[in-house]
Amino acid sequence: MNNIAQKRQNYRRFLISVLLILISSISVFAQSVKPYKLDLSKFPASNENKTITFNKKTGKVTIDKHGDVRETVSLFYWLNNMDVSDYNVIRIKYEATEGIGFSLHVSYPEEADSYTWYERGIYCPSYLTEMVFPITAYPKRLEGIIIASPWGASSCQFTIKEITFEKVDDPVYTNIHATDEKPVVDTATETTINPKADAWDFVPKLGVGAQYWAFNGEPTREFDFGFDFSTTGYPKARRRENFKNLRSKGFKTIRFLVNPGEQFIDDKYTLDPRFVKEVKELVDMAIEEDFYVILCGFFWAWEVSQPDSVNRLHPVRYESVIVNAKEQKRSEKVLKAFWTQIGTAFNNSYDEHLIFETMNEPGDDIHPHVEGHDGPIDPNCSVCKSDIKIGNGYNQLIVDTIRATGGNNANRFIMVAAFGNPWASYFKMPKDKSKNKLIPIAHIYPLGVENNKNMLYSEGIKKIAITDIFEQIDKCFFKKHIPFYISEVNAPRQVPIMERINMMKDFMAEVKKPGRSCNVNLHFNPIPEEDDYWCYYNTHTGKWKDEELINTVLYAEQGKEYLLSTEFVKKNTVKVESVVGKELLPVPHQFEFWNDINISTLTRAVPSKYKLELVVEKTGPDPRLTVNYLDGDKNWCYLIPENKKVQGGSLEIYDNGKSNNIIPKAEKIVVGITEEYSPYIEYLGLHINGKDCLLKSVKVVE
């Protein structure tokens, strides 16, 4: 029996040995999967439009989109549904020396395409030479791979050296934020800013400013660009030339919007030193060209306003500043870290030619997008009350943080952005250890923006969006010896040019009124596209658009008038026909339950005082109508008819005279519109609301 047991034991040992050898062989086989190297000559020589070409001998890719920066151009490498189950990464070796990289994407068989364009790709930044792209989350077969142009660049070159499919342990994306560089510190010791200099005397020196937002970043929750952030239409090779062109045109100030959201490299909110160096390089270049430079921190909270753009496969780290209690502690840490590092990097080497601006349009992106409260700030809303306190607190934190960095920053001029309107009673200027160094700012767009613009300028717009606002600024600031700066103003280029010119003439007349210390910065977009709303200067060609408007503002700032030719004025003047007596309602409108209709065709088409004739039919037991408008802050308001009477109906006034209903008594109702309300109707249109009746006709009658 012992003999038999011994044989069994020996047999087990033999089986174990064989099994170990087999496992070892399998392991060796698995680890010895050879990389599959693509034959780069199989890339097409160009796309159909020849806006992207490939040199098969050198591997150089040349992109020239002839000024179009948003269109993505690409080269497709056909893999013929290649089985990639033996591999888990794509490795690409390349060289991009122009400060702009490119993107690499995988393409699936049609039925397997379950991820977005961004989730199927990586960005290859210019400062690296190799990227690893894990493909483990994707289907077993790939239709092809794509080399695509970077967003925001109309032209660039880079070289593809090698692309391989490989099997590696623990496949991860290349960390494009990794760096060994030390934080940037301004080591100059001698202070040069006069602590007694007064902001009131300083603001007029700024002249007209121009927007240059090369550091605004991208909506990077979809794609990580690393610190290749200057691809939004601002080519690095043309920076110096662009500054020279802006300066020679007459601009004295340049405003840099800095959105560092994706540039924090750890949980302590340490800024990527490469990012700070890049900002510093641009600031230095602008100052060398004799500009004052406004350095503005933070922009929008992309992750809240674009919740569907999260990259599921490789989410991008992004930090924002949100005026909301839920994000207050984190936002305060981000603000303090940012301004501490910026203050440390920009100190004694920079005199009064460098100005800090606390934030850009600080807002509560959570409140309107998530909690359902849209529209202007409501002082009666508990969340808005909280936000107001938080917004004021952010400014105080930033001012204290900047001052704490000492040196020139102890007395540097700081522009202060409001949560809401700075001329509102809820806005509080921060306390400051330095005297007369703070400059409140606002963004004012009298003709609107993008999807909410007025195509005609009117006396109503002048009154509500310009004159009334400056009267508030007078009361809150100028009369208290506090200057004011408009860090963004302009009009969309889709608005007829004479309308824009007339608006800016009136605007600059308010800016330059005696007893005021004020100046402006024109909002520009760099993107040279036909449908762009703000491209007055093409950063790719150095050419100006609508120079008549630019010259009007530059001359007006100097107290002069830029003379337009008679031919230009005649050609571009918009003639508006009277709508008196004409039908304004395209089709009858049924009021079910306070569903309003807006009429926006009254601008410059009616006298300042007129009568509005409504033809209605009762369709329910309790018919009611209201005539409404929006005030300068876009609050819903009720129009009080002339003499508080209407023909063909009775007026039901309530809410201490602020609200009213018109109760129809006859088919035709006539409401008198006085000069008090006609400017508001010109500005944002007429709203007619109601219930239990059919609105059949709307006319303006003398």
Side-chain angles (χ1 to χ4, degrees):
M1 291 292 294
N2 289 337
N3 221 5
I4 294 173
Q6 184 65 37
K7 287 181 179 180
R8 286 177 176 172
Q9 188 174 357
N10 289 339
Y11 184 65
R12 287 194 191 97
R13 288 174 179 170
F14 171 75
L15 289 177
I16 291 171
S17 298
V18 171
L19 183 60
L20 288 173
I21 292 170
L22 183 61
I23 291 172
S24 177
S25 299
I26 293 172
S27 177
V28 169
F29 177 79
Q31 293 299 322
S32 64
V33 174
K34 292 183 179 180
Y36 177 76
K37 186 176 179 180
L38 297 188
D39 179 359
L40 298 182
S41 68
K42 292 184 179 179
F43 265 115
S46 71
N47 63 351
E48 185 177 348
N49 298 325
K50 299 188 184 305
T51 49
I52 179 170
T53 60
F54 180 73
N55 187 313
K56 295 179 183 290
K57 290 183 178 180
T58 64
K60 179 168 285 189
V61 178
T62 300
I63 293 170
D64 187 357
K65 295 186 286 182
H66 311 295
D68 188 343
V69 298
R70 285 190 174 173
E71 180 190 2
T72 297
V73 297
S74 60
L75 295 173
F76 187 88
Y77 189 106
W78 176 251
L79 290 174
N80 196 26
N81 295 333
M82 170 183 166
D83 185 349
V84 295
S85 56
D86 286 340
Y87 312 104
N88 58 10
V89 301
I90 301 174
R91 188 184 305 274
I92 180 168
K93 297 180 181 180
Y94 63 93
E95 188 176 58
T97 59
E98 297 183 0
I100 301 173
F102 60 95
S103 56
L104 170 71
H105 299 261
V106 294
S107 177
Y108 312 155
E110 259 184 61
E111 65 276 5
D113 194 357
S114 60
Y115 295 112
T116 68
W117 168 259
Y118 293 103
E119 289 169 326
R120 290 184 280 119
I122 55 168
Y123 178 73
C124 302
S126 65
Y127 51 89
L128 295 181
T129 57
E130 181 178 301
M131 287 291 292
V132 172
F133 177 18
I135 56 174
T136 52
Y138 304 97
K140 300 291 185 182
R141 295 181 178 276
L142 294 182
E143 184 183 49
I145 61 171
I146 302 165
I147 298 294
S149 60
W151 191 94
S154 66
S155 62
C156 64
Q157 285 187 330
F158 50 88
T159 300
I160 306 297
K161 294 186 174 182
E162 185 177 283
I163 301 176
T164 55
F165 285 78
E166 302 176 15
K167 176 79 170 182
V168 301
D169 294 332
D170 302 321
V172 293
Y173 285 91
T174 303
N175 183 359
I176 63 177
H177 292 281
T179 178
D180 295 327
E181 294 195 28
K182 295 180 179 179
V184 180
V185 177
D186 187 338
T187 58
T189 57
E190 185 178 348
T191 58
T192 53
I193 285 182
N194 179 5
K196 295 182 180 180
D198 195 318
W200 183 270
D201 300 321
F202 175 70
V203 168
K205 298 178 182 178
L206 296 177
V208 178
Q211 193 92 302
Y212 201 91
W213 46 331
F215 300 110
N216 185 45
E218 312 292 354
T220 51
R221 298 186 75 236
E222 295 177 325
F223 218 42
D224 194 342
F225 291 92
F227 87 102
D228 271 359
F229 40 79
S230 299
T231 58
T232 52
Y234 293 98
K236 287 188 176 183
R238 291 188 54 85
R239 285 176 175 176
R240 178 79 66 178
E241 183 179 350
N242 284 334
F243 290 163
K244 287 183 179 297
N245 288 343
L246 287 166
R247 192 68 185 89
S248 63
K249 188 66 176 173
F251 290 91
K252 293 182 179 179
T253 298
I254 197 160
R255 180 175 183 250
F256 293 145
L257 278 172
V258 178
N259 190 16
E262 68 275 26
Q263 300 301 333
F264 294 103
I265 59 177
D266 57 32
D267 293 335
K268 295 179 181 179
Y269 308 113
T270 302
L271 283 170
D272 189 331
R274 297 167 298 188
F275 172 79
V276 180
K277 283 183 179 179
E278 191 78 12
V279 176
K280 198 177 182 75
E281 180 182 321
L282 203 67
V283 170
D284 290 348
M285 191 180 295
I287 290 176
E288 287 169 9
E289 295 301 329
D290 198 26
F291 279 106
Y292 288 97
V293 174
I294 299 170
L295 191 59
C296 177
F298 285 91
F299 205 55
W300 293 324
W302 293 109
E303 77 275 23
V304 178
S305 59
Q306 297 182 0
D308 298 329
S309 67
V310 178
N311 195 314
R312 295 166 293 173
L313 291 182
H314 40 101
V316 180
R317 178 191 177 116
Y318 186 86
E319 297 293 346
S320 62
V321 170
I322 303 174
V323 185
N324 185 282
K326 294 176 182 177
E327 296 290 336
Q328 180 181 358
K329 289 184 178 179
R330 183 196 58 80
S331 295
E332 287 175 344
K333 290 178 181 177
V334 171
L335 284 170
K336 186 167 186 177
F338 173 78
W339 282 109
T340 297
Q341 292 170 81
I342 291 296
T344 302
F346 294 86
N347 204 322
N348 289 345
S349 296
Y350 302 86
D351 61 13
E352 69 278 359
H353 281 82
L354 177 64
I355 307 108
F356 290 151
E357 183 180 344
T358 59
M359 296 173 284
N360 183 84
E361 300 179 4
D364 182 353
D365 294 79
I366 293 176
H367 196 23
H369 286 283
V370 178
E371 296 172 350
H373 172 62
D374 206 352
I377 294 171
D378 181 0
N380 298 314
C381 168
S382 60
V383 177
C384 287
K385 285 182 180 178
S386 171
D387 288 349
I388 289 167
K389 185 177 180 181
I390 292 169
N392 289 330
Y394 285 175
N395 276 321
Q396 187 64 62
L397 172 67
I398 295 169
V399 170
D400 291 344
T401 300
I402 292 171
R403 297 297 184 226
T405 59
N408 275 353
N409 291 336
N411 291 291
R412 190 172 304 285
F413 291 112
I414 301 175
M415 293 183 171
V416 181
F419 171 71
N421 292 327
W423 48 82
S425 60
Y426 53 72
F427 172 70
K428 304 296 180 185
M429 283 283 282
K431 296 178 181 178
D432 190 12
K433 294 178 181 179
S434 188
K435 187 178 180 182
N436 299 330
K437 300 290 185 179
L438 301 184
I439 306 165
I441 63 102
H443 296 171
I444 303 175
Y445 292 94
L447 289 173
V449 297
E450 282 90 356
N451 299 322
N452 186 23
K453 57 186 179 294
N454 293 285
M455 298 302 286
L456 295 173
Y457 181 53
S458 66
E459 286 298 315
I461 293 175
K462 178 182 178 181
K463 169 181 167 46
I464 296 158
I466 299 178
T467 308
D468 287 357
I469 287 177
F470 272 93
E471 286 180 359
Q472 290 298 316
I473 297 172
D474 261 330
K475 179 180 177 182
C476 296
F477 302 108
F478 294 141
K479 290 184 178 179
K480 298 177 182 179
H481 193 73
I482 300 172
F484 199 86
Y485 190 74
I486 317 298
S487 63
E488 285 187 22
V489 65
N490 212 335
R493 290 188 56 247
Q494 281 71 8
V495 176
I497 189 167
M498 278 306 300
E499 305 300 308
R500 288 178 275 147
I501 287 174
N502 290 333
M503 181 274 290
M504 286 306 304
K505 274 186 177 180
D506 289 340
F507 195 92
M508 293 306 296
E510 293 292 334
V511 168
K512 301 305 294 182
K513 269 190 178 179
R516 293 174 176 173
S517 174
C518 189
N519 244 318
V520 301
N521 179 85
L522 290 181
H523 175 58
F524 290 161
N525 231 18
I527 302 171
E529 294 179 307
E530 289 185 5
D531 63 344
D532 186 76
Y533 293 87
W534 308 101
C535 186
Y536 285 86
Y537 174 73
N538 186 328
T539 55
H540 293 258
T541 64
K543 294 182 179 179
W544 291 92
K545 297 182 179 181
D546 297 345
E547 286 188 83
E548 293 82 4
L549 181 137
I550 303 300
N551 291 337
T552 294
V553 176
L554 291 169
Y555 272 59
E557 196 278 328
Q558 299 176 49
K560 303 175 183 177
E561 181 181 1
Y562 179 72
L563 297 177
L564 301 168
S565 70
T566 303
E567 181 183 355
F568 177 85
V569 174
K570 183 178 180 181
K571 177 182 177 181
N572 292 286
T573 296
V574 179
K575 296 180 180 179
V576 181
E577 294 184 6
S578 172
V579 297
V580 175
K582 297 180 180 179
E583 180 60 61
L584 302 179
L585 198 65
V587 293
H589 181 78
Q590 176 65 51
F591 290 120
E592 300 291 350
F593 189 77
W594 303 112
N595 52 316
D596 79 303
I597 184 170
N598 174 241
I599 297 173
S600 56
T601 55
L602 304 178
T603 304
R604 300 211 312 249
V606 294
S608 59
K609 181 179 180 180
Y610 54 91
K611 294 185 183 297
L612 193 67
E613 180 187 273
L614 313 177
V615 177
V616 299
E617 177 184 326
K618 301 176 185 178
T619 59
D622 187 28
R624 292 285 192 276
L625 288 171
T626 64
V627 180
N628 305 93
Y629 65 94
L630 300 178
D631 66 12
D633 292 325
K634 298 185 179 179
N635 295 305
W636 184 263
C637 301
Y638 289 78
L639 181 148
I640 305 297
E642 186 177 16
N643 299 324
K644 296 183 180 181
K645 293 181 179 180
V646 294
Q647 298 177 27
S650 60
L651 195 64
E652 181 182 62
I653 299 178
Y654 59 97
D655 192 22
N656 294 322
K658 295 179 181 179
S659 309
N660 67 83
N661 290 327
I662 298 172
I663 304 173
K665 299 296 184 182
E667 184 182 29
K668 186 179 292 185
I669 298 171
V670 179
V671 179
I673 309 294
T674 65
E675 294 93 334
E676 179 182 356
Y677 299 103
S678 58
Y680 296 99
I681 294 172
E682 268 200 322
Y683 181 39
L684 293 172
L686 177 75
H687 292 261
I688 304 173
N689 212 336
K691 70 184 188 77
D692 288 353
C693 58
L694 176 69
L695 184 64
K696 299 167 73 173
S697 174
V698 177
K699 291 182 180 179
V700 171
V701 294
E702 291 286 0

